[in-house]
Amino acid sequence: MSESNSVGIVKAQTAHFTEPLTLQSGAVLPQYHLAYETYGELNASKSNAVLICHALSGNHHVAGRHTPEDKYPGWWDNLIGPGKPLDTNKFFVIGLNNLGGCHGSSGPSSVNPLTDRPYSATFPVVTVEDWVESQARLLDYLGVEQLAAVIGGSLGGMQALQWSIAYPDRVRHAFVIASAPNLTAQNIAFNEVARQAIITDPEFFDGDYYNHGTLPRRGLRIARMLGHITYLSDDAMGEKFGRKLRHGELKYGFDVEFEMESYLRYQGDKFAGEFDANTYLRMTRALDYFDPAKAYDGNLSQALSRAKAKFMVISFTTDWRFSPARSREIVQALLDNALPVKYAEVTSAHGHDAFLMPDPHYHNVMRAYLEQIK
Amino acid sequence: MMMNTEIANIRPDFALITNWVRTDSKVLDLGCGDGGLLTYLHDTLKTTGYGIEKDDANWLEALKNGVDVIQMNLEEGLSGFEDQSFDTVILSQTLQAMHNTETIVREMLRVGREAIVTFPNFGYWRNRLQITLGSMPVSKSLPYQWFDTPNVHLCTIHDFDQFCRDHHIQVIERKVITGGQDVHVLPNLMGNLAMYRLKSAN
């Protein structure tokens, strides 16, 4: 591409693991593979690696393009590249597709080597803890003992937090962005509606739709539409769509009348065509289950007592799905442990989605912090 | 909370605060601006701690200065900070710009074993003179015009002494300075900057 600060054309790679992975649920994955991409060079002392943890619908394609014709670059391309806030001239950046995903890592839609059929509904439920465990093995595979930083937004932020707890000596800096120490009841409720939309789709077949030649598109589409509503703020939606009509006049029917509907349908259709419903179920469950304080009678401070990382916690003012108050809970627990923490509450109109947007102040914050990492 | 950018120009203030902070102690600086004071305390006394700053630009400068800075609004108190979790909580040149004055002082003494509060003394003779001549005071320590000032709760040394008595606050030490010099005679008239070292009397 002509963009001078892009990582350019990138290629996904796959790492195979044959050592069995025991999951939180007790289930065991005898073998699995993880799709990943890297940008920049690992330095001689192997001290400049940064792991990017993705959120609900993300994957390993974080920056750059696979082909010059790609319409869109990786999902966090605005942050990552030579000269960008996460500068690939300085850092070796690793993106991966989490276990259970649908973009190249072992997951419900991938082929189980033991049966030569898709795992389908037999693919186990995975948790944030499981992901971090599998990510640690990917780092071993790549020869990275300690991360300069682990960075994640939303569900990715939960992974960054879990990294600091599970592997205190392997993380120097943890970026917990637009995240929370656990989901609120309201958040679990949204996830449950999304899951019910999928599970009750007649074409879901208890998750075995691959073998029925169907896809639960309707369910996945509605799940995504619901998600989209919660990722935006009321103000942002009002600003972007307001009550604008699609055809300039009312049609007195139930086809698209408002631009808002058109946008949601478009997003839903697009997503249903490229994402796997079984993966969606598992990603939302991982969100629901994450609760590091649970083992400590709800005391997050105790849960973080093992952490040694320096933290950058960022929230966005109009994010009501992962509100600033939830980030402040994390900050409070870090303060209780006298851990180094910087906390920014970024003013943004874009709701939860703000963490993916190139807001100048947000990116200045990221750049300034990352520049200080030795 | 833009006060500390001015503090940076008044280095004696830093040095005086240093006298009231112990080596290796844990400090919380409220309205820390660019983090200059915390950096100074860290460099001279090896203190640890955090700064609180609301303003985006100041917050970013503090970050660049390596300060652990938390972005929050002091008007909402210090929820998130445990009781008696800091040796010293500092509010330098910010008290007069606070709306919830009583709350923040109470919170400082809850979170810190000691508190340091500094503010421009509105009773300073030059301020009184300007009022007598019919204008709101504008000076190096009160650099704003009446219509653009962030200062909503200006007070005199006399007022603050009374405030401490009324709120069961023990004044451990008080220092009044003008142009970097200690003022001992008629402090409420002759003093430009007031500094208090406080603890809860309960």
Side-chain angles (χ1 to χ4, degrees):
Chain A
M1 296 303 293
S2 56
E3 299 151 290
S4 61
N5 58 353
S6 167
V7 296
I9 301 300
V10 297
K11 197 167 175 297
Q13 300 176 76
T14 306
H16 294 273
F17 299 87
T18 50
E19 192 192 331
L21 181 67
T22 304
L23 305 171
Q24 290 284 302
S25 64
V28 177
L29 274 177
Q31 54 184 306
Y32 56 93
H33 55 272
L34 295 173
Y36 69 96
E37 288 182 7
T38 67
Y39 322 111
E41 300 291 330
L42 186 61
N43 62 14
S45 58
K46 301 186 175 183
S47 61
N48 67 335
V50 174
L51 178 69
I52 305 293
C53 300
H54 70 73
L56 191 60
S57 59
N59 55 43
H60 54 287
H61 185 37
V62 188
R65 284 173 163 81
H66 287 148
T67 71
E69 291 76 36
D70 284 2
K71 191 171 171 197
Y72 299 107
W75 58 270
W76 219 349
D77 188 80
N78 61 35
L79 186 81
I80 301 162
K84 287 184 181 172
L86 178 49
D87 192 342
T88 49
N89 288 327
K90 174 179 175 181
F91 292 108
F92 174 64
V93 180
I94 306 160
L96 85 157
N97 186 209
N98 278 334
L99 217 45
C102 55
H103 292 100
S105 291
S106 294
S109 55
S110 69
V111 171
N112 181 349
L114 300 180
T115 63
D116 275 334
R117 300 186 74 102
Y119 280 96
S120 193
T122 68
F123 195 88
V125 169
V126 284
T127 65
V128 169
E129 289 87 339
D130 297 332
W131 284 336
V132 168
E133 198 56 41
S134 65
Q135 290 161 3
R137 291 190 185 182
L138 178 65
L139 295 194
D140 294 341
Y141 171 89
L142 293 171
V144 174
E145 172 51 33
Q146 188 190 56
L147 289 167
V150 54
I151 302 179
S154 190
L155 177 56
M158 290 175 165
Q159 292 159 62
L161 198 60
Q162 178 60 24
W163 257 102
S164 74
I165 296 169
Y167 290 101
D169 294 314
R170 295 190 74 169
V171 185
R172 295 211 302 280
H173 299 270
F175 287 65
V176 183
I177 305 170
S179 195
N182 61 21
L183 287 196
T184 59
Q186 187 193 46
N187 255 327
I188 295 171
F190 283 126
N191 283 347
E192 174 59 4
V193 175
R195 281 190 297 268
Q196 283 299 313
I198 292 167
I199 290 168
T200 58
D201 186 315
E203 308 204 82
F204 182 64
F205 291 106
D206 290 329
D208 199 29
Y209 43 88
Y210 320 95
N211 291 320
H212 285 80
T214 61
L215 281 174
R217 278 178 190 275
R218 277 169 288 181
L220 191 54
R221 177 173 180 263
I222 292 167
R224 186 58 171 180
M225 288 166 84
L226 173 70
H228 252 283
I229 298 168
T230 70
Y231 305 148
L232 298 174
S233 69
D234 193 10
D235 284 350
M237 262 195 217
E239 177 104 351
K240 194 167 179 182
F241 305 104
R243 293 183 54 83
K244 264 182 283 187
L245 295 174
R246 189 69 203 274
H247 306 288
E249 57 179 10
L250 297 180
K251 297 282 187 189
Y252 298 96
F254 298 101
D255 208 348
V256 169
E257 290 275 37
F258 296 94
E259 288 288 359
M260 182 71 244
E261 297 171 314
S262 169
Y263 172 81
L264 279 182
R265 288 186 189 197
Y266 170 77
Q267 291 294 341
D269 287 336
K270 182 162 154 258
F271 191 72
E274 62 192 24
F275 206 82
D276 180 63
N278 277 319
T279 289
Y280 201 84
L281 295 180
R282 280 157 183 74
M283 296 287 168
T284 57
R285 258 304 181 231
L287 271 165
D288 293 355
Y289 285 161
F290 184 66
D291 189 6
K294 188 163 178 273
Y296 300 88
D297 289 331
N299 188 325
L300 185 66
S301 303
Q302 278 182 29
L304 279 162
S305 64
R306 295 183 62 214
K308 293 180 184 170
K310 294 180 167 72
F311 286 82
M312 174 80 245
V313 180
I314 301 176
S315 70
F316 298 88
T317 50
T318 53
D319 183 351
W320 55 279
R321 187 120 193 217
F322 290 81
S323 70
R326 302 310 317 279
S327 283
R328 286 198 291 264
E329 287 178 39
I330 297 170
V331 172
Q332 179 172 352
L334 298 171
L335 290 172
D336 288 345
N337 286 296
L339 285 162
V341 53
K342 294 167 173 70
Y343 171 60
E345 206 164 289
V346 176
T347 303
S348 166
H350 298 289
H352 187 52
D353 268 352
F355 87 87
L356 293 168
M357 300 202 175
D359 172 83
H361 178 62
Y362 169 42
H363 273 198
N364 283 338
V365 168
M366 294 295 287
R367 182 185 293 277
Y369 191 108
L370 286 159
E371 275 177 356
Q372 287 181 347
I373 295 179
K374 301 245 171 17
Chain B
M1 307 298 156
M2 306 264 293
M3 300 301 116
N4 277 90
T5 40
E6 287 146 54
I7 279 280
N9 302 325
I10 315 168
R11 299 294 298 212
D13 197 88
F14 276 33
L16 290 170
I17 287 175
T18 309
N19 292 331
W20 288 349
V21 174
R22 277 177 283 272
T23 305
D24 291 324
S25 63
K26 203 176 157 195
V27 176
L28 180 64
D29 186 9
L30 309 182
C32 71
D34 65 4
L37 177 59
L38 277 171
T39 308
Y40 183 77
L41 289 172
H42 176 75
D43 292 347
T44 51
L45 297 171
K46 299 201 290 278
T47 58
T48 56
Y50 304 88
I52 294 181
E53 180 55 48
K54 182 178 71 171
D55 177 76
D56 281 351
N58 284 343
W59 186 96
L60 189 59
E61 284 309 305
L63 172 99
K64 287 177 180 172
N65 286 325
V67 171
D68 279 325
V69 57
I70 312 293
Q71 190 164 31
M72 58 184 267
N73 185 356
L74 293 177
E75 300 289 1
E76 289 159 20
L78 298 175
S79 65
F81 291 91
E82 291 284 308
D83 293 0
Q84 304 291 291
S85 55
F86 287 85
D87 295 303
T88 306
V89 181
I90 301 170
L91 185 69
S92 68
Q93 302 259 33
T94 301
L95 182 77
Q96 74 280 0
M98 295 286 303
H99 286 262
N100 300 314
T101 315
E102 288 177 290
T103 307
I104 197 61
V105 175
R106 198 182 313 122
E107 283 283 84
M108 289 175 77
L109 294 168
R110 175 183 69 78
V111 168
R113 280 176 272 278
E114 289 185 12
I116 297 172
V117 173
T118 76
F119 58 87
N121 174 30
F122 201 69
Y124 183 45
W125 69 270
R126 285 180 184 274
N127 297 335
R128 297 192 197 196
L129 180 63
Q130 287 190 53
I131 298 252
T132 307
L133 294 174
S135 296
M136 284 297 283
V138 178
S139 63
K140 206 167 155 189
S141 56
L142 294 172
Y144 303 99
Q145 296 291 333
W146 66 270
F147 51 85
D148 67 0
T149 181
N151 298 330
V152 290
H153 281 148
L154 287 160
C155 70
T156 68
I157 289 170
H158 179 261
D159 292 331
F160 196 74
D161 283 340
Q162 187 63 45
F163 176 90
C164 292
R165 280 193 294 274
D166 293 346
H167 291 79
H168 310 290
I169 297 166
Q170 182 191 334
V171 178
I172 306 167
E173 278 182 80
R174 188 188 76 183
K175 218 166 174 54
V176 179
I177 52 174
T178 301
Q181 302 294 314
D182 282 9
V183 176
H184 297 289
V185 181
L186 296 174
N188 195 35
L189 186 65
M190 305 306 288
N192 186 15
L193 181 72
M195 301 179 60
Y196 285 75
R197 185 179 180 188
L198 309 169
K199 66 187 265 191
S200 179
N202 297 325

